[in-house]
Amino acid sequence: MDFEFTKEQKDIARAAREFAEKEFTDRAEEFDRAETFDEALHKKAAELGFIGMYLDEKYGGAGLGLVEQCILQEEFAAVDAGISTAILTSCFGSEVIQEFGTEQQKLAYLPLLCSGEAVMGSAFTEPDAGSDLAAAMTAGVVDGDELVINGSKMFITNGLRAKFLICFVLTDADNPKRHKRHSMYIVETDRPGYEANKLTGKMGIRASETTEISFTDVRVPLTNILGEPGMGFSAATYCFNRNRIIVAAQALGLMRAALAESIKHVKKRNVFGAPLASYQATQFKLADMYTWMRATKNLVYESAWRIDLGKTDPALVAATKAFSGQMAVRCADMALQLHGGYGYLADYKVNRIYRDVKITEIYEGTTEIEKTIVAKSLLA
Ligand SMILES: Cc1cc2nc3c(=O)[nH]c(=O)nc-3n(C[C@H](O)[C@H](O)[C@H](O)COP(=O)(O)OP(=O)(O)OC[C@H]3O[C@@H](n4cnc5c(N)ncnc54)[C@H](O)[C@@H]3O)c2cc1C
């Protein structure tokens, strides 16, 4: 058993850290306040090979694994989770195209992502179907050689920025098997009837664009399907198993940041005539944060390593996601508490961490849904 990253993985971590520190640090607060993002930053990340590293080289990627993607996510999120989301979700769903798409689809869409020419998104959630994805109602009806899509999606990352999305569509409502009723289609966002509106006023990750989308008689060729009809749920599950670990890596980066900010603050803040760091109550908090962070790190990289070996363990993935989100939220809470009133001010990094971190318990499956997956596996 070897817990060391390889030299290549360490090089990726160093390059990602240097890029994030140089490019994110001075802009994070501005993007957070204005709920904006600078596409030039996404392009720079693409030029440095940070987009779609896990895609095959023939599609413009680096042919690397989920471990490397998690390293990238951890390093970016340790500097700013909003910007890390904006940059790294630019190819959210590309793994589904690579796994389920035809060669023609892969060549048509994936290189555009890696070069930074295009952004994509993944549209699963609906206003009345989040955790219970099989309840999704956005429907596709076959008309000649086209699918006509009607319905709406909620909370979709990059709905406006994206050139195309993968979309989870109800195509066989009468199928007695709930998990066989949907299919996954690629939908280009310039098709008539596609409309996206930005959701503003998010609590955190405000550099990342979140939208609601409506489809009114949106026509796509039947050849835009990914895999076979009825495989939508399997494709979504494939996507979740990978992205749950990427979100856990984001939580890990945020924990690292929370601990680093806390250490800095308690060393320089004096209370009752001594540094805050000198009190045991403070030290216990730091020790807890460190322990949770290290435990999360082991879970994240073991889960990613298993997926890279083709041995995905959905219960371990779900446990990793649930644990990391909960522990990251606790870490951020402790970090803010250690900052006292200063942590309550928006211009302190710890304040942003506290607001950003909550999303790691919500997207890609809430903590409760992850726990139901773990429990189901234990009781099977
Ligand atoms: C910023 C942001 C970005 C997002 N990006 C995307 C995206 O790009 N694409 C996409 O498709 N979706 C996206 N989502 C949606 C996200 O995945 C969902 O919000 C999430 O899956 C939860 O669904 P919901 O919001 O409908 O909550 P609900 O499903 O309504 O859940 C509400 C609460 O009930 C709990 N709950 C639900 N079922 C059970 C149960 N059986 N037992 C116990 N408790 C239960 C949940 O854990 C939660 O606490 C995003 C969301 C946000 C906030």
Side-chain angles (χ1 to χ4, degrees):
M1 190 179 285
D2 186 353
F3 285 96
E4 275 296 322
F5 286 143
T6 63
K7 179 176 178 309
E8 188 187 20
Q9 289 165 343
K10 286 180 189 166
D11 288 345
I12 291 169
R14 192 176 325 105
R17 194 178 318 132
E18 284 171 8
F19 174 74
E21 280 169 0
K22 178 164 172 258
E23 303 288 349
F24 302 0
T25 310
D26 292 341
R27 313 214 47 201
E29 195 186 325
E30 166 203 337
F31 292 158
D32 176 53
R33 279 186 195 274
E35 299 189 56
T36 51
F37 177 64
D38 180 357
E39 288 298 341
L41 200 47
H42 163 236
K43 292 251 164 33
K44 265 191 200 172
E47 275 161 26
L48 291 169
F50 289 136
I51 310 292
M53 281 194 326
Y54 50 80
L55 296 171
D56 281 357
E57 283 165 298
K58 64 176 162 169
Y59 309 126
L64 295 169
L66 192 60
V67 168
E68 287 77 15
Q69 186 67 17
C70 288
I71 290 172
L72 190 59
Q73 177 65 269
E74 178 191 337
E75 294 299 336
F76 278 10
V79 182
D80 186 68
I83 302 178
S84 84
T85 310
I87 293 179
L88 297 179
T89 61
S90 67
C91 56
F92 175 30
S94 58
E95 62 285 344
V96 179
I97 298 180
Q98 175 158 273
E99 182 68 16
F100 294 89
T102 62
E103 193 58 18
Q104 210 179 354
Q105 288 170 332
K106 293 182 211 182
L107 289 169
Y109 296 101
L110 300 180
L112 296 174
L113 301 170
C114 298
S115 64
E117 285 165 75
V119 167
M120 72 171 291
S122 292
F124 308 125
T125 308
E126 298 190 359
D128 293 317
S131 301
D132 183 11
L133 185 59
M137 296 293 286
T138 294
V141 175
V142 175
D143 181 25
D145 55 2
E146 290 179 319
L147 189 80
V148 185
I149 306 174
N150 280 286
S152 53
K153 297 281 177 187
M154 187 65 180
F155 299 125
I156 306 307
T157 303
N158 301 332
L160 285 161
R161 291 173 74 205
K163 201 176 172 69
F164 54 92
L165 308 161
I166 57 165
C167 189
F168 186 74
V169 191
L170 182 67
T171 47
D172 184 10
D174 297 329
N175 194 314
K177 293 188 177 148
R178 260 186 120 222
H179 294 123
K180 299 282 180 196
R181 291 178 187 166
H182 298 82
S183 304
M184 196 72 85
Y185 272 83
I186 298 173
V187 179
E188 295 84 357
T189 57
D190 60 358
R191 292 197 177 270
Y194 176 93
E195 200 187 317
N197 293 303
K198 185 169 170 171
L199 298 167
T200 54
K202 289 208 306 289
M203 175 181 176
I205 57 159
R206 287 156 61 96
S208 168
E209 175 193 275
T210 310
T211 62
E212 54 184 347
I213 293 175
S214 65
F215 300 88
T216 311
D217 291 330
V218 174
R219 289 178 170 267
V220 295
L222 291 178
T223 49
N224 272 24
I225 195 167
L226 287 166
E228 300 294 322
M231 278 179 64
F233 208 86
S234 325
T237 304
Y238 177 82
C239 185
F240 293 149
N241 277 327
R242 295 177 62 89
N243 285 290
R244 281 175 180 158
I245 298 308
I246 294 175
V247 172
Q250 182 174 43
L252 173 61
L254 280 158
M255 288 163 110
R256 240 175 69 186
L259 181 58
E261 289 301 300
S262 300
I263 292 171
K264 236 185 335 182
H265 183 76
V266 300
K267 279 183 168 174
K268 68 170 198 265
R269 178 73 176 164
N270 281 308
V271 288
F272 296 96
L276 189 50
S278 65
Y279 297 95
Q280 205 173 44
T282 302
Q283 294 168 5
F284 283 0
K285 285 193 177 73
L286 299 179
D288 279 344
M289 290 162 80
Y290 173 78
T291 310
W292 299 335
M293 182 188 76
R294 291 307 299 247
T296 297
K297 187 167 183 156
N298 284 351
L299 281 170
V300 165
Y301 289 105
E302 185 191 338
S303 297
W305 173 76
R306 286 189 188 282
I307 290 173
D308 284 341
L309 289 178
K311 296 179 179 171
T312 304
D313 177 346
L316 181 65
V317 166
T320 301
K321 169 75 168 56
F323 182 81
S324 63
Q326 288 177 106
M327 290 302 120
V329 166
R330 280 175 78 175
C331 261
D333 185 51
M334 270 189 184
L336 192 137
Q337 191 66 16
L338 284 170
H339 280 72
Y342 295 98
Y344 210 68
L345 300 176
D347 48 359
Y348 270 68
K349 183 174 175 183
V350 73
N351 182 285
R352 207 166 55 244
I353 293 169
Y354 184 86
R355 290 183 289 106
D356 285 346
V357 78
K358 187 62 191 173
I359 195 62
T360 66
E361 279 211 275
I362 298 172
Y363 59 12
E364 293 301 315
T366 63
T367 299
E368 293 75 16
I369 291 305
E370 307 303 344
K371 287 183 182 180
T372 61
I373 295 169
V374 177
K376 201 170 160 191
S377 152
L378 294 176
L379 297 170

